[in-house]
Amino acid sequence: MPRSTAVHASHFLPSVMLLLAGLAAAYVKDLNVFFTSLFNVLPTLVLLLGGSYCAVYRRQRELFLMITVYIAYFLLSTQADFYRDHGKVRQDAAVVFHLVCLLLPLLFGVFAAWQERTHLFQDMVARFAVLLAVGSVALGLEQSYPEALLDWLAEIRWPALHGAWMSLIQLSYPVFLAAFMLLTVQYWRNPRPLHAAQLIGLLGLFWMLPMTFILPFTLNIMCSQVMLMIAAAVAHEAYQMAFRDELTGLPGRRALNERMQRLGRNYVLAMTDVDHFKKFNDTHGHDVGDQVLRLVASKLAKVSGGGRAYRYGGEEFAVVFAGKSLEECMPHLEVIREVIANYNIHLRNPESRPQDDQQGRQRRSGSAATSVSVTISIGVAERQADQRTPDEVLKSADQALYAAKGAGRNCVMAAGQTARRGAVRTNEAAG
């Protein structure tokens, strides 16, 4: 899973912050009238706003996650309000609470792992059918056989595994664990802000249920926070789609344009191009070409000196150094150029791909793999007094890039310098 720690942290951070805020708010005592009124309407407000947002952008999975959480909130809120108003629980409180403790993690896990793979309308009907079927069976059993259902739910089936700390029915714990493992595997296979939000949201629900009748407004606050996590994850992914390049993982052209509007007066821009990329692509195929772009992007992402790399388009990348001078940036760009030039890419025949990792390591270390390398050319420009906009500086960097190409490629050239004085080259420059 080639993802950096920073990327994973960015996936989890919004949801963790919402969870911590919910926990802090739940433990606050003596709330004033404003917050009391707010918490009473907050879950419904979040569902209406967040659900509408998901519906407009056709995010069915997220919509049904919110609906599932809200149904649990509605059922338990009715019981909690009765308890606060009368000082005792309703006659059906135990069976309703136990049903929610069992079905909430079950449906949350099912809808969280259920990806949209069919026609949107058919997918919505299928999800609604599952929700309706489970709800109808639970309601029918609760109405027809309340005592028998309560005994079945509350039964301790595995006494050796039951602890005094368990405040929920025993059946709910393996369901929560199974849902958590399922969502963990889902995130591991496909790291996304949504999958991270689902994991943190499930933890929030697990904490919430035992506190429903203990801490005031715990139910309102945590259900709202879980739904907010899901809505925030949708917004986060929408931002990534607009501002981050899917192939390389780098910020894209739109993110570069936005960053260039906030550079200040002193900065350096560099334009980078993969040498002979079209020829390489035609020779080895587009899959290998994509591998090359990802490799170059991964190296550029690690540029030192305070630089930030962006995917400009095609095989071109841009690097931004804010608050830096040309002399400060040139050595860092030269290091990246050299790292990429010295990196060997091993090409293997997909039809003879080894069946296990050991064979793969042996083959990569042997002669079965074809080793190729790529180089990049870099043009650099520093903002001058007569350049009013970053676009003019970027144009100068682009012109320097063309000069680097003309100087033999695999070199770094600054704007206004000649190949003899300004280019930094290797002896084996790509032809």
Side-chain angles (χ1 to χ4, degrees):
M1 188 172 53
R3 300 274 180 158
S4 67
T5 303
V7 172
H8 291 299
S10 69
H11 290 171
F12 282 96
L13 184 59
S15 298
V16 171
M17 291 181 65
L18 285 171
L19 177 64
L20 294 177
L23 293 175
Y27 282 102
V28 173
K29 298 180 180 180
D30 301 325
L31 294 171
N32 59 35
V33 177
F34 171 78
F35 285 104
T36 301
S37 304
L38 176 62
F39 290 152
N40 281 328
V41 301
L42 190 59
T44 303
L45 183 62
V46 172
L47 176 67
L48 291 176
L49 296 178
S52 300
Y53 179 70
C54 293
V56 168
Y57 289 98
R58 300 181 179 182
R59 303 293 290 260
Q60 313 250 74
R61 174 164 50 163
E62 295 83 346
L63 176 61
F64 275 84
L65 281 172
M66 290 187 181
I67 292 175
T68 300
V69 173
Y70 188 82
I71 290 175
Y73 158 75
F74 177 79
L75 294 173
L76 295 181
S77 178
T78 303
Q79 301 291 338
D81 289 343
F82 185 90
Y83 175 76
R84 283 194 292 266
D85 294 339
H86 299 86
K88 61 179 181 179
V89 297
R90 284 176 41 168
Q91 187 175 0
D92 61 347
V95 66
V96 170
F97 180 75
H98 293 336
L99 276 173
V100 171
C101 292
L102 178 65
L103 297 181
L104 177 58
L106 176 64
L107 289 173
F108 192 90
V110 168
F111 285 137
W114 185 347
Q115 301 182 18
E116 301 94 334
R117 294 182 177 178
T118 60
H119 189 275
L120 287 176
F121 180 75
Q122 295 175 352
D123 182 82
M124 182 181 67
V125 172
R127 292 173 191 271
F128 182 76
V130 170
L131 190 61
L132 182 63
V134 173
S136 299
V137 170
L139 180 62
L141 291 174
E142 191 272 333
Q143 293 292 321
S144 302
Y145 311 100
E147 295 183 1
L149 178 61
L150 180 59
D151 292 339
W152 183 82
L153 290 171
E155 179 184 354
I156 300 178
R157 291 166 172 77
W158 309 285
L161 300 178
H162 190 76
W165 57 271
M166 293 183 176
S167 52
L168 305 178
I169 57 172
Q170 195 179 52
L171 274 177
S172 67
Y173 290 96
V175 177
F176 264 108
L177 180 61
F180 183 80
M181 293 176 63
L182 176 64
L183 299 186
T184 301
V185 171
Q186 178 179 245
Y187 180 82
W188 182 82
R189 295 179 61 183
N190 185 15
R192 291 173 52 186
L194 172 63
H195 295 163
Q198 292 169 351
L199 270 172
I200 302 302
L202 186 66
L203 293 177
L205 296 176
F206 181 73
W207 174 86
M208 174 195 74
L209 289 173
M211 300 294 179
T212 300
F213 297 99
I214 299 176
L215 294 176
F217 299 108
T218 296
L219 188 65
N220 306 57
I221 294 171
M222 193 52 64
C223 284
S224 301
Q225 296 300 85
V226 172
M227 290 188 287
L228 279 174
M229 292 176 197
I230 298 169
V234 175
H236 190 175
E237 292 191 350
Y239 175 87
Q240 285 190 329
M241 290 175 64
F243 290 91
R244 189 166 293 274
D245 178 62
E246 184 177 4
L247 175 64
T248 63
L250 290 178
R253 180 76 169 271
R254 185 175 295 180
L256 173 63
N257 293 337
E258 185 179 272
R259 181 69 181 93
M260 287 170 58
Q261 305 306 314
R262 300 179 281 106
L263 284 176
R265 298 180 61 85
N266 301 315
Y267 56 87
V268 173
L269 300 180
M271 286 294 294
T272 302
D273 183 274
V274 180
D275 295 329
H276 297 301
F277 181 74
K278 185 179 185 303
K279 180 180 178 181
F280 188 93
N281 218 20
D282 294 340
T283 302
H284 299 286
H286 292 286
D287 290 340
V288 178
D290 289 346
Q291 180 183 348
V292 168
L293 292 178
R294 284 192 290 265
L295 165 68
V296 172
S298 67
K299 302 302 181 184
L300 288 174
K302 299 176 183 178
V303 63
S304 55
R308 180 73 184 275
Y310 297 81
R311 174 85 183 275
Y312 191 78
E315 66 271 25
E316 290 187 313
F317 300 86
V319 183
V320 177
F321 293 90
K324 301 292 182 178
S325 66
L326 184 64
E327 290 73 17
E328 292 175 315
C329 300
M330 290 289 281
H332 301 287
L333 292 170
E334 169 59 20
V335 168
I336 288 296
R337 181 206 60 76
E338 188 174 355
V339 167
I340 294 174
N342 293 334
Y343 190 91
N344 291 323
I345 304 174
H346 298 283
L347 305 180
R348 297 179 296 277
N349 185 354
E351 297 180 357
S352 61
R353 187 178 181 87
Q355 298 299 317
D356 55 59
D357 293 338
Q358 184 176 0
Q359 292 180 4
R361 287 192 293 269
Q362 293 174 352
R363 186 168 298 183
R364 285 192 291 271
S365 62
S367 60
T370 302
S371 178
V372 299
S373 61
V374 295
T375 61
I376 61 172
S377 299
I378 305 176
V380 195
E382 182 179 10
R383 180 189 177 274
Q384 303 297 326
D386 59 341
Q387 293 172 325
R388 297 185 177 182
T389 66
D391 290 330
E392 296 179 9
V393 183
L394 193 66
K395 184 177 180 180
S396 297
D398 199 43
Q399 292 172 348
L401 172 62
Y402 279 102
K405 292 283 188 180
R409 296 180 171 85
N410 191 20
C411 62
V412 182
M413 182 175 289
Q417 294 179 327
T418 63
R420 179 175 300 176
R421 297 182 58 188
V424 182
R425 300 183 54 193
T426 61
N427 294 328
E428 61 278 7

